[in-house]
Amino acid sequence: MSWTPPPVAGRLTADAPLAPLVWFKSGGVAQWLFEPKDVDDLRGFLAQLPADVPVMALGLGSNLIVRDGGVPGVVVRLGKAFAKVERLDDLTLNCGGGASGILVSSTARDAGIAGLEFLRSIPGTVGGFVRMNGGAYGREVKNILVDCDVVTRDGQLATLPLSDLGYTYRHSDLAEGAIVVSARFRGQPGEAEAIQAEMDRISASREASQPLRSKTGGSTFKNPPGERAWELVDRAGCRGLTIGGAQVSEKHTNFLINTGNATSADIETLGDEVRRRVKAQSGVELEWEIKRVGKTL
């Protein structure tokens, strides 16, 4: 794929290592990594980019396996200019696509807005939450989203209401290459102390049950209807299962871990072996929740 990137106001890096930017700390390089200065910079770049060049957004890199052969085309990473969270009214926040769940939930607490506490527990950014209908602890983005601003692959800026996103469990109908640059979240009236107490409860629950100090990618598989993925994995005898440098977490069996020197191929192969064993043991076909991108070596 031979093409000359258009000029930008932000930062454009060729052959940019992605392993330092993702939680698993594995994988290859981005052909180009683009960190736009602002929305106009992003729009201008995409409008001039040849239509056959693939574009992918990267948030905090938590729910992602970057394959060892790297990612062709352009990886877009939204930086500080996209990480602001502002109060719009008594119950609504305007959140940049690069803002973290911790920042959103803390801002909501300070504004006396309840119902956004669950974002505290999702290790990602607003853009990722909106794209995949992120959720935890009985809540998901579709419960709080009013609308979102999206830059489409051809550089157009569109505001999409909740009803246009086609949300189902960990899925939206957002087009490939479309990048969420901001979103409006609405909660309910609440007291800061009670909101903080709920955030503390969620944090303690995560700390007790998840391998947060490890190089991991978060929940690996979607929960099948009426089932819990971790229980199916455990029943199939996969707790602690290892391939290369990758391991099924002993602490939470729906988490895979890079124990130190795992390749992305190790991690993905382990995930597929877990899926095979679960299918053989219970008949359930586990679906990946973690996104896998790029080329294998």
Side-chain angles (χ1 to χ4, degrees):
M1 197 187 304
S2 178
W3 47 278
T4 302
V8 299
R11 185 190 304 173
L12 187 62
T13 309
D15 298 321
L18 293 177
L21 304 180
V22 300
W23 276 39
F24 272 124
K25 302 300 180 212
S26 67
V29 303
Q31 185 180 6
W32 293 96
L33 177 65
F34 178 38
E35 298 166 282
K37 179 183 177 185
D38 50 31
V39 172
D40 287 341
D41 192 25
L42 177 61
R43 291 184 64 189
F45 176 83
L46 292 178
Q48 295 179 69
L49 197 64
D52 61 343
V53 176
V55 172
M56 182 195 99
L58 174 66
L60 294 184
S62 57
N63 194 48
L64 193 65
I65 294 172
V66 173
R67 292 178 173 130
D68 301 305
V71 180
V74 178
V75 174
V76 176
R77 191 166 185 247
L78 303 182
K80 288 183 179 176
F82 295 86
K84 298 181 176 67
V85 179
E86 302 161 330
R87 183 174 175 174
L88 282 184
D89 60 38
D90 286 353
L91 297 178
T92 311
L93 298 179
N94 184 41
C95 307
S100 69
I102 291 176
L103 178 60
V104 174
S105 57
S106 299
T107 305
R109 174 202 62 208
D110 295 346
I113 301 172
L116 278 62
E117 297 90 345
F118 74 99
L119 293 176
R120 169 71 180 76
S121 69
I122 310 177
T125 57
V126 167
F129 302 156
V130 171
R131 174 168 283 281
M132 70 173 292
N133 188 24
Y137 298 94
R139 302 271 287 168
E140 51 193 356
V141 166
K142 75 174 186 181
N143 302 136
I144 60 173
L145 184 73
V146 178
D147 58 19
C148 62
D149 297 325
V150 174
V151 176
T152 57
R153 175 60 185 80
D154 60 358
Q156 298 298 306
L157 180 63
T159 299
L160 304 177
L162 170 64
S163 57
D164 280 11
L165 293 177
Y167 274 151
T168 52
Y169 175 61
R170 303 295 178 267
H171 172 82
S172 77
D173 289 340
L174 266 179
E176 281 296 314
I179 296 172
V180 178
V181 291
S182 59
R184 265 64 59 191
F185 294 148
R186 180 175 294 145
Q188 303 96 37
E191 295 293 329
E193 295 80 6
I195 294 168
Q196 182 62 54
E198 174 65 4
M199 287 165 62
D200 290 345
R201 183 190 72 80
I202 287 171
S203 295
S205 175
R206 285 188 74 224
E207 185 73 43
S209 66
Q210 299 177 13
L212 301 182
R213 305 281 179 267
S214 304
K215 291 184 280 190
T216 182
S219 294
T220 306
F221 306 110
K222 299 178 182 180
N223 288 322
E227 302 268 15
R228 293 180 177 179
W230 76 264
E231 290 179 343
L232 292 167
V233 175
D234 210 16
R235 287 210 300 268
C238 296
R239 185 181 294 266
L241 181 66
T242 300
I243 290 180
Q247 182 183 48
V248 176
S249 170
E250 299 265 8
K251 191 171 187 180
H252 191 312
T253 51
N254 198 25
F255 283 65
L256 303 182
I257 290 170
N258 176 355
T259 61
N261 59 352
T263 63
S264 291
D266 290 341
I267 298 165
E268 189 169 5
T269 301
L270 177 60
D272 282 333
E273 175 62 15
V274 169
R275 293 176 69 238
R276 188 191 68 76
R277 293 191 185 195
V278 167
K279 180 74 186 296
Q281 196 273 332
S282 66
V284 176
E285 188 91 52
L286 284 179
E287 289 182 40
W288 283 92
E289 182 170 320
I290 286 179
K291 191 176 178 185
R292 290 146 298 133
V293 301
K295 303 179 294 184
T296 55
L297 283 177

